[in-house]
Amino acid sequence: MDTDAEFDRLVLFEQIRKAAEATYVKNPLDADNLTRWGGALLEVAQFHNVSDSKQIIQDAISKLEEALLIDPKKHDALWCMGNAYTSFAFLTPEETEAKYNFDLATHFFQQAVDEQPENELYLKSLEMTAKAPLLHTEVHRQGLGSQPLGGDGPSAAPSSKVVKGKRSSDVKYDVLGWVILAIGVVAWVGFAKANAPVTTAPR
């Protein structure tokens, strides 16, 4: 994995987070800003260990809940909430608790689809969440659930723990559990850039 690219991504989302925090002080009722803040936190969470990641994800959920209190039909905030609960579920080894979070994720993804039925990303997210519990079981069976989400996690875990005695196709299946955590990475970069031009010129 390109560590420079990973670092650049972390810097980008930290920048978005700080800009959103500053904007919030001036205008706490800006739902777009709260959504950016929550989404940036979800991305930042991928670079931390499990315990810290879960706390950051909870902070993201809090920001997204604020956005949805202001605008309950805000489809991008609903979609980010789905991502937040999906990520939280994958970091939760206990299956009953994980399923509860996957169910919440499905609820929010469905709401996002209801608000914007033609959005292929929302539809794909809803579809992938249906498969998430099976992937969750596989991830934790292989012991990958204790790995960091970012940088060292998905790339290091298969090479150090899983590859031994397994076919490459099996390894790819194991890694799928981590892919779902990054459902929104590429799309979110585009969303953040489109909605937060301050990221190129922070104050």
Side-chain angles (χ1 to χ4, degrees):
M1 183 169 292
D2 188 338
T3 54
D4 287 340
E6 290 293 300
F7 179 74
D8 288 347
R9 206 175 95 216
L10 174 60
V11 169
L12 169 66
F13 289 111
E14 275 289 357
Q15 200 172 315
I16 293 169
R17 181 190 64 76
K18 289 176 183 176
E21 192 171 354
T23 299
Y24 181 79
V25 173
K26 299 173 188 173
N27 182 9
L29 298 180
D30 184 339
D32 287 335
N33 183 63
L34 284 161
T35 303
R36 275 198 298 277
W37 193 352
L41 285 168
L42 289 181
E43 297 295 345
V44 170
Q46 295 186 49
F47 296 89
H48 292 266
N49 62 39
V50 170
S51 176
D52 289 346
S53 290
K54 290 179 82 169
Q55 182 57 58
I56 295 169
I57 291 167
Q58 286 177 326
D59 290 345
I61 289 171
S62 175
K63 300 300 179 291
L64 295 166
E65 284 175 340
E66 283 191 59
L68 290 170
L69 280 173
I70 297 163
D71 182 358
K73 294 181 178 294
K74 188 165 178 52
H75 58 84
D76 47 356
L78 291 164
W79 174 73
C80 284
M81 282 287 270
N83 275 299
Y85 281 113
T86 300
S87 299
F88 200 89
F90 268 109
L91 294 176
T92 304
E94 208 281 306
E95 287 195 14
T96 302
E97 185 183 347
K99 183 181 183 302
Y100 173 74
N101 284 287
F102 283 131
D103 287 346
L104 284 171
T106 300
H107 168 74
F108 283 106
F109 282 140
Q110 183 62 63
Q111 282 192 296
V113 168
D114 290 346
E115 293 303 322
Q116 202 173 80
E118 74 285 359
N119 190 308
E120 291 187 11
L121 177 62
Y122 297 173
L123 290 166
K124 186 65 176 176
S125 298
L126 184 61
E127 176 190 333
M128 289 182 73
T129 301
K131 304 172 185 175
L134 181 62
L135 292 171
H136 172 274
T137 300
E138 181 69 9
V139 165
H140 286 278
R141 185 175 70 81
Q142 295 297 340
L144 302 186
S146 60
Q147 297 290 331
L149 291 186
D152 297 331
S155 59
S159 61
S160 61
K161 279 191 167 185
V162 182
V163 167
K164 190 159 54 175
K166 291 176 70 68
R167 299 192 310 272
S168 62
S169 60
D170 294 329
V171 174
K172 287 177 185 175
Y173 179 77
D174 297 333
V175 175
L176 281 178
W178 294 98
V179 171
I180 198 170
L181 286 173
I183 279 176
V185 170
V186 175
W188 182 259
V189 171
F191 173 80
K193 286 181 178 176
N195 288 277
V198 292
T199 59
T200 56
R203 293 178 186 176

